[in-house]
């Protein structure tokens, strides 16, 4: 299955894969620090396991970034 | 050649180098109406080489430019 | 129309020379009011550049004092300023660069109770805070009051920023929804940060503020600019307003300002999130 993750083309061997598994494969250390966007739409964390990907999907991991003051 | 057009606003920029001569030209234009004429005195060298070119780039029209006896240039520009 | 003094003409000559800024743009800058939230890594470079640019009134809010560990990246604070309030330290440098401008200092911590009173009347807000509760609060207050703002964040070698025009473009909640749980958040203190990226990001935010005020070009809206300084790869991720955004969507559930610490606590007792 061919999907785009953070702007880069990715070939996945899995026939079926949900967002939770994708976060795992991509070794996202703390999923709480990532907001996920699928084809331009925000996906709630509680829906990661029920959201299955299909060929052509465009996934963005948006990292929470604080920093700045202290 | 005689110039029949007279300037509505006049700025003597003798001794004013680049880029302050252009800054002052832009300030003068900002207080003028479209179609009015600005008369400038510019030094020979970089000022006469640069200021008219820059005002053309901003869409204004050079009506005339002539060198005076002291080597400076008299330039008339119509505001866009 | 402002009558520029000779000194002002020289000081702002490089702005006036720009076709897109010019005399008009510089006048707008001198009449503008920008609030900088946080006098730290992002707020410092932004404050210096906005002061230098002649932004007429700059507010700066921070309740901290300068510590030696700040000096690696918080460029407005000097070694002599250790133990001085950050806003006083920053204001001193801003006025030293440009005595033309007015700097308003707030030795305060933004919260739901005081934010409206503080940010009301500013034309643009630049978020340079270190924590998510305040980032969300700034977003919410700006959306409620219709004040455009720049979001910014840095971590390790990475930075991100986006500009929000409330009611027109994606807000921070459209994409990030709710603050992450506090225990998951690494701070600069825990994670570290390459000093210079604070300057990279803070100056991008300052440029956005200057663009907004002068109307030059296109703002960084509906897009999150991210960079990784290890490779110097920059990316602009397209974002859009989300109809389900709890703040600026079609059926908003957030209708008043609350301190986000509270909502995080609420999240923890929410069986779905637990």
């Amino acid at each position: 299955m061919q999907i785009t993750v953070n702007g880069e083309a990715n070939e996945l061997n899995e026939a079926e894969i949900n967002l939770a598994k994708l976060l795992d494969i991509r070794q996202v250390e703390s999923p709480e620090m990532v907001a996920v966007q699928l084809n331009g739409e925000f996906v709630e964390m509680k829906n990661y396991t029920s959201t299955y990907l299909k060929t052509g999907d465009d996934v963005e991991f948006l990292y929470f970034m604080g920093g700045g003051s202290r | 050649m005689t110039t029949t057009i007279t300037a509505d606003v006049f700025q003597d920029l003798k001794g004013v180098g680049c880029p302050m001569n252009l800054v002052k030209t832009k300030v003068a234009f900002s207080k003028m109406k479209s179609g009015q004429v600005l008369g400038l005195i510019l030094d020979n060298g970089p000022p006469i080489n640069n200021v008219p070119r820059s005002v053309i780039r901003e869409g204004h029209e050079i009506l005339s430019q002539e060198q005076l006896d002291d080597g400076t240039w008299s330039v008339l520009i119509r505001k866009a | 129309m402002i009558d520029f003094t000779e000194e002002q003409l020289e000081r702002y000559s490089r702005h006036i020379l720009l076709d897109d800024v010019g005399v008009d743009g510089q006048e707008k800058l001198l009449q503008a009011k920008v609030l900088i939230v946080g006098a730290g890594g992002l707020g410092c470079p932004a404050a210096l550049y906005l002061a230098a640019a002649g932004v007429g009134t700059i507010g700066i809010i921070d309740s901290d004092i300068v510590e030696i560990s700040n000096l690696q990246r918080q460029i407005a604070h000097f070694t002599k300023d250790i133990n001085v309030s950050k806003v006083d330290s920053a204001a001193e440098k801003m006025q030293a660069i440009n005595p033309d401008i007015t700097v308003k200092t707030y030795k305060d911590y933004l919260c739901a109770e005081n934010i409206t009173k503080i940010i009301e009347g500013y034309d643009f807000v630049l978020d340079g805070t270190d924590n998510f509760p305040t980032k969300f609060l700034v977003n919410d207050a700006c959306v409620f009051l219709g004040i455009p703002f720049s979001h910014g964040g840095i971590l390790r070698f990475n930075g991100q920023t986006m500009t929000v025009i409330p009611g027109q473009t994606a807000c921070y909640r459209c994409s990030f929804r709710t603050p992450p749980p506090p225990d998951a958040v690494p701070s600069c203190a825990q994670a570290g940060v390459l000093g210079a990226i604070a300057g990279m990001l803070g100056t991008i935010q300052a440029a956005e503020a200057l663009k907004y005020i002068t109307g030059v070009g296109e703002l960084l809206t509906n897009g999150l600019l991210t960079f990784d300084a290890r490779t110097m790869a920059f990316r602009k991720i397209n974002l859009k307003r989300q109809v389900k955004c709890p703040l600026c969507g079609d059926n908003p559930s957030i209708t008043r300002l609350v301190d986000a610490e509270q909502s995080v606590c609420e999240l923890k007792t929410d069986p779905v999130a637990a």
Side-chain angles (χ1 to χ4, degrees):
Chain A
M1 173 167 42
Q2 185 91 22
I3 63 167
T4 304
V5 182
N6 292 351
E8 286 176 12
N10 265 255
E11 185 65 44
L12 298 174
N13 296 323
E14 289 80 354
E16 276 206 327
I17 183 167
N18 61 27
L19 278 176
K21 179 77 177 152
L22 182 68
L23 281 157
D24 189 42
I25 292 175
R26 295 285 300 203
Q27 296 177 321
V28 174
E29 271 175 53
S30 63
E32 297 105 325
M33 294 305 294
V34 175
V36 176
Q37 202 167 275
L38 173 60
N39 301 324
E41 303 292 333
F42 176 85
V43 183
E44 289 195 44
M45 203 176 216
K46 65 180 180 191
N47 295 332
Y48 287 176
T49 47
S50 60
T51 305
Y52 282 84
L53 298 170
K54 58 181 190 312
T55 286
D57 274 348
D58 186 359
V59 183
E60 287 285 352
F61 297 144
L62 308 176
Y63 286 83
F64 277 95
M65 253 175 237
S69 196
R70 212 160 291 161
Chain B
M1 194 185 98
T2 51
T3 314
T4 50
I5 306 160
T6 52
D8 297 295
V9 178
F10 178 77
Q11 280 246 303
D12 183 352
L13 298 176
K14 211 180 292 177
V16 181
C18 298
M20 283 310 290
N21 44 22
L22 182 58
V23 170
K24 293 196 168 182
T25 301
K26 292 183 73 156
V27 171
F29 274 134
S30 76
K31 294 173 181 167
M32 292 166 59
K33 292 191 190 82
S34 176
Q36 284 191 307
V37 175
L38 174 66
L40 295 179
I41 300 294
L42 292 170
D43 285 340
N44 197 22
I48 190 62
N49 289 332
N50 287 292
V51 173
R53 203 163 57 194
S54 298
V55 299
I56 289 168
R57 195 167 54 90
E58 292 191 26
H60 308 298
E61 183 193 354
I62 307 287
L63 299 174
S64 71
Q65 72 183 56
E66 55 185 305
Q67 193 160 24
L68 306 177
D69 293 342
D70 64 354
T72 61
W73 291 78
S74 170
V75 183
L76 288 176
I77 311 160
R78 192 186 300 280
K79 186 183 170 175
Chain C
M1 189 186 292
I2 298 172
D3 266 319
F4 288 96
T5 63
E6 281 294 304
E7 193 188 301
Q8 283 179 316
L9 286 183
E10 294 232 21
R11 179 182 288 274
Y12 305 120
S13 59
R14 269 45 174 190
H15 274 163
I16 294 170
L17 286 167
L18 287 169
D19 293 357
D20 291 343
V21 178
V23 178
D24 291 353
Q26 190 58 51
E27 270 188 42
K28 288 178 188 162
L29 291 172
L30 286 165
Q31 284 158 355
K33 295 178 175 182
V34 175
L35 178 71
I36 298 169
V37 184
L42 305 176
C44 280
L48 298 181
Y49 272 102
L50 294 182
V55 171
T57 305
I58 305 173
I60 187 158
I61 177 164
D62 201 310
S63 60
D64 285 348
I65 58 162
V66 177
E67 295 172 31
I68 193 165
S69 62
N70 301 147
L71 304 183
Q72 165 255 18
R73 65 196 176 285
Q74 301 182 14
I75 208 73
H77 309 312
F78 300 170
T79 304
K80 70 168 177 69
D81 300 315
I82 291 167
N83 292 327
V84 171
S85 120
K86 282 189 178 178
V87 290
D88 287 343
S89 163
E92 182 205 339
K93 313 314 182 318
M94 292 158 76
Q95 299 275 209
I97 288 176
N98 192 350
D100 235 12
I101 60 158
T102 303
V103 180
K104 285 186 174 175
T105 57
Y106 305 84
K107 282 171 209 166
D108 222 334
Y109 192 85
L110 274 186
C111 60
E113 198 201 335
N114 67 11
I115 188 165
T116 303
K117 199 163 176 255
I118 290 172
I119 73 173
E120 247 175 357
Y122 282 98
D123 302 311
F124 192 90
V125 172
L126 194 146
D127 159 50
T129 55
D130 56 350
N131 68 88
F132 295 103
T134 312
K135 284 193 187 305
F136 279 85
L137 186 65
V138 168
N139 178 73
D140 296 357
C142 285
V143 168
F144 282 144
L145 294 170
I147 302 173
F149 74 100
S150 166
H151 152 80
I154 50 172
L155 189 66
R156 300 191 179 98
F157 297 92
N158 299 85
Q160 67 172 215
T161 177
M162 69 185 284
T163 302
V164 176
I165 307 292
Q168 293 177 40
T169 69
C171 84
Y172 186 56
R173 273 194 198 271
C174 283
S175 305
F176 290 92
R177 212 49 60 105
T178 51
D183 52 6
V185 178
S187 66
C188 275
Q190 287 160 354
V193 62
L194 188 72
I197 71 162
M200 290 170 64
L201 200 89
T203 51
I204 291 173
Q205 292 186 276
E208 285 289 289
L210 298 180
K211 281 166 56 189
Y212 173 75
I213 295 161
T214 56
V216 171
E218 286 169 37
L219 294 167
L220 180 57
T221 50
N222 291 324
L224 184 72
L225 182 71
T226 66
F227 65 78
D228 184 341
R230 287 171 299 190
T231 54
M232 278 302 166
F234 279 68
R235 262 193 88 209
K236 195 166 144 188
I237 302 164
N238 288 329
L239 304 176
K240 60 178 185 190
R241 271 184 86 189
Q242 303 279 321
V243 292
K244 288 181 182 165
C245 176
L247 184 70
C248 73
D250 289 351
N251 293 298
S253 55
I254 299 166
T255 52
R256 63 186 184 92
L257 294 171
V258 284
D259 288 308
E261 285 100 331
Q262 264 181 310
S263 58
V264 171
C265 295
E266 281 159 20
L267 259 182
K268 280 187 170 168
T269 56
D270 176 353
V272 180

